[in-house]
Amino acid sequence: MSDDSVSRAKDRAEAAAVRRRWITLGEILGVAAVLISGLTLWNNWTDRRETKAEKAATEQRASAKVAKLVLVATDRGKQTLTLKPAAAEQSVQSQSILFPTPLGVSPAATTGEPRIEGGWFEHALVKARETAGLPDNSRGDDRLPVVIVTQFLADGEPHEDVALYDLGYSISGKFLGGHSISLRGISLVSKVKRADAQTKLDARWKSLLPAGT
């Protein structure tokens, strides 16, 4: 074989080797591009999933917060307290107010106008205070425990809340001249289960007025 033939054969071999290198490099770059694209899609999908999860968790917390009812009272008169939710997103539909068993007072029900009226329990409370030997006049705000069962709407969804509250009141007058009760407000004691509500209520009454039970 002549020198020219050998030289041409070497040139062809080198050219083929160069092409193989370029093909291999192209394949590597193609695989890298696919991997980068896949990682980008994975990151985007992961980010979207985390964002959706965070949004769902935030909405769930907000919904749970709105579904938690706390009642506050506004004065409508010495003998009546108007009740309303602390959260503006909530709307009271109806309520049942339970009183301590020793008072012998039946539960009071309201619809569309949540409130507590002193006339519901005044006579029984005055009698219980007399039996307990409590003074005719309050030295501060006395407390009467009550359970309030509330049906309410939160974000258009119906809910029920059962809670033990202390009803603040003051009393003045004399035994023979009669007593007058003024309602002051309410404060949340605890949430209770409906099945245990009366038991919890009576236990709190006993702790506040042990001599009258």
Side-chain angles (χ1 to χ4, degrees), residues 8-22:
R8 286 195 296 272
K10 288 182 178 181
D11 290 342
R12 287 194 295 271
E14 290 177 359
V18 170
R19 287 195 298 273
R20 285 195 297 271
R21 285 197 297 272
W22 277 111

Side-chain angles (χ1 to χ4, degrees), residues 6-144:
V6 173
S7 178
R8 286 195 296 272
K10 288 182 178 181
D11 290 342
R12 287 194 295 271
E14 290 177 359
V18 170
R19 287 195 298 273
R20 285 195 297 271
R21 285 197 297 272
W22 277 111
I23 292 172
T24 303
L25 180 59
E27 291 173 346
I28 292 173
L29 291 175
V31 171
V34 171
L35 291 175
I36 292 172
S37 178
L39 288 174
T40 301
L41 291 174
W42 170 260
N43 288 334
N44 290 339
W45 179 80
T46 302
D47 290 342
R48 287 196 299 270
R49 185 179 64 174
E50 291 177 352
T51 300
K52 289 181 179 178
E54 291 175 358
K55 183 179 179 181
T58 300
E59 291 176 349
Q60 186 176 8
R61 287 193 297 269
S63 178
K65 183 178 180 180
V66 169
K68 292 181 179 179
L69 179 71
V70 176
L71 295 170
V72 295
T74 59
D75 288 333
R76 201 181 73 179
K78 290 184 177 181
Q79 282 282 308
T80 302
L81 287 179
T82 299
L83 305 180
K84 67 177 184 178
E89 300 85 355
Q90 298 167 337
S91 175
V92 173
Q93 301 301 294
S94 63
Q95 288 183 319
S96 294
I97 295 88
L98 311 182
F99 300 97
T101 300
L103 290 184
V105 178
S106 299
T110 66
T111 300
E113 190 181 359
R115 66 194 185 279
I116 296 178
E117 297 183 10
W120 294 340
F121 57 85
E122 182 176 34
H123 178 73
L125 179 59
V126 169
K127 184 177 180 181
R129 288 177 59 90
E130 291 171 353
T131 301
L134 295 179
D136 290 332
N137 297 301
S138 298
R139 295 189 176 93
D141 285 351
D142 291 302
R143 292 175 291 169
L144 170 67

Side-chain angles (χ1 to χ4, degrees), residues 125 128-129 132 134 169 204-213:
L125 179 59
R129 288 177 59 90
L134 295 179
Y169 70 94
R204 181 142 184 96
W205 164 262
K206 186 175 182 179
S207 70
L208 294 176
L209 198 70
T213 56

